[in-house]
Amino acid sequence: MLLSLTPLDMASVVWFFLVWVGYTLVADSDRFQHLSVLGIMNEHRQRWMTEMLRRDMRMIDALIVNHLQSGIAMFASTSILVVGGLIACLGAAEKAIAVVSALPFVGQTSKLEWEVKILLLLLIFIFAFFKFVWSYRLNTYCAVLIGAVPRSTDINAKAEDEADRAAKIANLAARHFNRGLRAFYFALAALSWVVHPVAFALATTWVAVVLYRRDFRSRSQQIIRG
């Protein structure tokens, strides 16, 4: 299968995974995470659980978790639908190749090359699906931990420890959700491989730049950070 790819194709795939994995390691590292939107929001989630301890009625906290879960469920459903569509593309390779080959700047593509490109997209969306589902489950754990926190009149060291655990689970859920979203971004870059491997490499770089700006240099990051 790899023999059907040109050196330019293989170089673009290697660049794709280097950028994706490298960006994830840097953005999620302890050294830089406090500068990103995700790291700053971790601090806000910690404050949220501290304030939750002092509330008599915690329906608002349950509603927030439920709202987060509904968004995650939408992305998980979208991922599995895309996976189904990509599997269908594998079954109709000849028709898909005929349609794509008619586009400008798209060269002739063999059936094996098409299948490799679709398989890459398939793996990305399967990865995203697992991230979203795990994030959904972690938010379920967080909801249970919130429900197990004692009343506001019984705040002690044990209650504070339980609230801290709820915050850590909420932060972990956010990290997995963020990685699922990041997979969606890089899937768009992988889609450009259908056009040309150079377009694939350029799109990969562009996605990394966009993610960097939104994680570290965006207006929303400045507002959240204060």
Side-chain angles (χ1 to χ4, degrees), residues 11-21 23 120 124 185-193 196-212:
S12 63
V13 172
V14 171
W15 175 246
F16 173 77
F17 283 107
L18 281 176
V19 171
W20 187 359
V21 175
Y23 182 84
L120 176 61
I124 293 171
Y185 279 92
F186 280 101
L188 294 176
L191 185 62
S192 65
W193 192 16
H196 197 275
V198 173
F200 183 21
L202 292 175
T204 300
T205 307
W206 174 73
V207 164
V209 171
V210 169
L211 287 173
Y212 169 75

Side-chain angles (χ1 to χ4, degrees), residues 79-91:
S79 300
I80 204 66
L81 289 174
V82 173
V83 167
L86 291 171
I87 292 174
C89 285
L90 288 175

Side-chain angles (χ1 to χ4, degrees), residues 16 20 119-129 183 186-187 190:
F16 173 77
W20 187 359
L119 282 173
L120 176 61
L121 285 168
L122 193 59
L123 289 174
I124 293 171
F125 280 104
I126 289 173
F127 171 82
F129 172 76
F186 280 101

Side-chain angles (χ1 to χ4, degrees), residues 30-57:
D30 294 335
R31 181 177 180 181
F32 296 103
Q33 192 183 61
H34 68 284
L35 299 174
S36 68
V37 172
L38 179 64
I40 298 168
M41 287 303 298
N42 285 345
E43 299 174 4
H44 285 292
R45 277 183 285 269
Q46 187 71 48
R47 283 199 309 110
W48 168 25
M49 293 305 165
T50 302
E51 292 298 323
M52 178 268 298
L53 274 176
R54 300 181 174 88
R55 275 196 278 269
D56 293 327
M57 298 297 294

Side-chain angles (χ1 to χ4, degrees), residues 75-223:
F75 279 102
S77 301
T78 302
S79 300
I80 204 66
L81 289 174
V82 173
V83 167
L86 291 171
I87 292 174
C89 285
L90 288 175
E94 290 83 1
K95 293 182 179 178
I97 291 171
V99 172
V100 172
S101 298
L103 297 174
F105 309 110
V106 179
Q108 291 297 321
T109 304
S110 67
K111 182 179 178 182
L112 189 56
E113 287 176 314
W114 174 261
E115 290 174 347
V116 171
K117 294 172 182 178
I118 296 300
L119 282 173
L120 176 61
L121 285 168
L122 193 59
L123 289 174
I124 293 171
F125 280 104
I126 289 173
F127 171 82
F129 172 76
F130 277 103
K131 286 296 178 182
F132 290 134
V133 170
W134 185 236
S135 178
Y136 186 94
R137 192 168 184 179
L138 287 173
N139 274 298
T140 302
Y141 298 160
C142 181
V144 173
L145 290 173
I146 289 174
V149 173
R151 294 176 299 176
S152 60
T153 54
D154 300 326
I155 297 177
N156 51 31
K158 183 179 178 181
E160 291 176 352
D161 180 64
E162 290 178 359
D164 182 65
R165 278 184 288 173
K168 289 178 179 178
I169 290 295
N171 289 340
L172 190 59
R175 169 174 287 195
H176 284 280
F177 178 68
N178 191 55
R179 290 183 176 178
L181 285 179
R182 193 176 293 155
F184 268 47
Y185 279 92
F186 280 101
L188 294 176
L191 185 62
S192 65
W193 192 16
V194 174
V195 178
H196 197 275
V198 173
F200 183 21
L202 292 175
T204 300
T205 307
W206 174 73
V207 164
V209 171
V210 169
L211 287 173
Y212 169 75
R213 286 184 58 82
R214 294 187 176 180
D215 284 339
F216 295 95
R217 299 292 181 183
S218 65
R219 179 63 177 163
S220 58
Q221 185 266 3
Q222 296 171 10
I223 294 172

